[in-house]
Amino acid sequence: MKEFMEKWQSDKRFQIKIKLLLYTVFIVIVAIYAISLDNSSIDNLDQDTIDEISNEESSSKNIIDINDNYHYVATINIDDSEYQYTIIKKDNQETIIKEHNNITSNYLYKDNNYYQLEDDTYILTTKDNIYDVINENYLNLSSINKYLEKSQNNNNQYLVYLKDIILGESSEDYFVILINNNKISIDYTPLMKRFNNSLKKFNVDITIIEGLNQNIEE
């Protein structure tokens, strides 16, 4: 150390060399630190991006997950009346069977048209003729998934607040969707009373016979 100090004081070239060496070491340390920060930022950005994609996929995932081909039965109880719709989707067409008061009507949906079976012949008809007691959306599994997206899960009861699905609605009223394996129960009464206040009960019970992708999430 003594020799170093003596040389430092007496040799100007030695001083310059040492200063250059220290400066180079400083630059290298700063560069390494900067690269480290950049890599950390990239890693954090990548993780944030992954988390965002994961959250988007999770939120868009259907709670009721069915195949393109399916078969389910929907029983509708409106006050003292009961109706049943059996819906079978296969390939590019859908068979619809409506039952009420021991009367069975058969329909077909194909190529964006509805047909009613009369004397072994399918005749063009309308959706309103088929779904005359209930809007088709309240039975459609894709539509029910839309309600579930808006719902709040309360101990496996999905609460769908009317203010989240009706424009301009501000009340805290809601209807409930229950899911148990291949069965879906919906009490539409609070929603339907908005359109017909004299209604006392409007329940829909759906049993999926075929077409479930693994299971229905609970």
Side-chain angles (χ1 to χ4, degrees):
M1 186 67 181
K2 183 178 180 180
E3 292 179 357
F4 178 86
M5 294 302 298
E6 289 177 351
K7 195 169 185 180
W8 174 265
Q9 292 175 355
S10 61
D11 192 339
K12 296 295 183 181
R13 290 185 179 180
F14 179 77
Q15 288 183 16
I16 294 172
K17 289 180 181 180
I18 296 299
K19 289 178 180 178
L20 287 174
L21 178 61
L22 291 176
Y23 181 77
T24 303
V25 171
F26 174 77
I27 294 298
V28 170
I29 292 174
V30 170
I32 293 173
Y33 181 73
I35 292 172
S36 174
L37 287 179
D38 287 342
N39 288 338
S40 176
S41 298
I42 292 171
D43 289 341
N44 289 336
L45 177 61
D46 288 344
Q47 187 59 50
D48 290 341
T49 304
I50 291 170
D51 290 342
E52 182 178 350
I53 293 172
S54 177
N55 290 333
E56 289 177 354
E57 289 177 348
S58 176
S59 64
S60 64
K61 184 178 181 181
N62 291 330
I63 293 177
I64 305 171
D65 192 15
I66 61 169
N67 293 320
D68 292 335
N69 295 331
Y70 49 75
H71 174 189
Y72 65 91
V73 178
T75 302
I76 303 103
N77 287 284
I78 305 175
D79 291 340
D80 297 323
S81 298
E82 181 175 295
Y83 305 83
Q84 188 174 89
Y85 285 82
T86 299
I87 300 173
I88 304 169
K89 170 73 179 303
K90 186 175 182 180
D91 299 328
N92 295 318
Q93 65 182 35
E94 189 174 86
T95 299
I96 305 162
I97 303 169
K98 181 173 67 176
E99 300 176 68
H100 175 60
N101 290 337
N102 296 319
I103 297 176
T104 300
S105 302
N106 293 273
Y107 305 94
L108 187 69
Y109 178 66
K110 184 177 182 180
D111 298 330
N112 296 319
N113 289 307
Y114 288 92
Y115 301 88
Q116 181 171 0
L117 184 62
E118 296 182 7
D119 298 326
D120 298 325
T121 302
Y122 280 101
I123 306 297
L124 190 68
T125 187
T126 64
K127 179 193 288 189
D128 291 339
N129 181 47
I130 302 171
Y131 297 100
D132 54 336
V133 297
I134 185 172
N135 190 306
E136 188 262 348
N137 288 333
Y138 301 128
L139 304 181
N140 184 282
L141 298 180
S142 295
S143 297
I144 295 172
N145 265 329
K146 291 291 185 182
Y147 291 140
L148 288 167
E149 287 179 13
K150 300 286 187 179
S151 71
Q152 298 183 23
N153 189 349
N154 181 19
N155 294 324
N156 290 325
Q157 295 186 22
Y158 294 90
L159 311 183
V160 184
Y161 283 84
L162 303 189
K163 63 184 180 182
D164 292 331
I165 63 171
I166 299 178
L167 190 63
E169 178 72 28
S170 59
S171 74
E172 294 298 319
D173 295 339
Y174 59 84
F175 63 89
V176 178
I177 302 177
L178 301 176
I179 300 178
N180 182 16
N181 294 323
N182 66 326
K183 297 184 183 297
I184 306 163
S185 297
I186 309 173
D187 182 2
Y188 279 123
T189 307
L191 174 61
M192 295 305 175
K193 286 178 73 69
R194 285 293 186 277
F195 311 110
N196 183 355
N197 195 46
S198 64
L199 281 173
K200 296 179 180 178
K201 180 175 68 173
F202 202 114
N203 295 339
V204 172
D205 294 297
I206 297 174
T207 300
I208 299 177
I209 310 300
E210 296 178 0
L212 208 59
N213 285 341
Q214 303 297 327
N215 61 2
I216 295 181
E217 294 185 357
E218 296 187 34

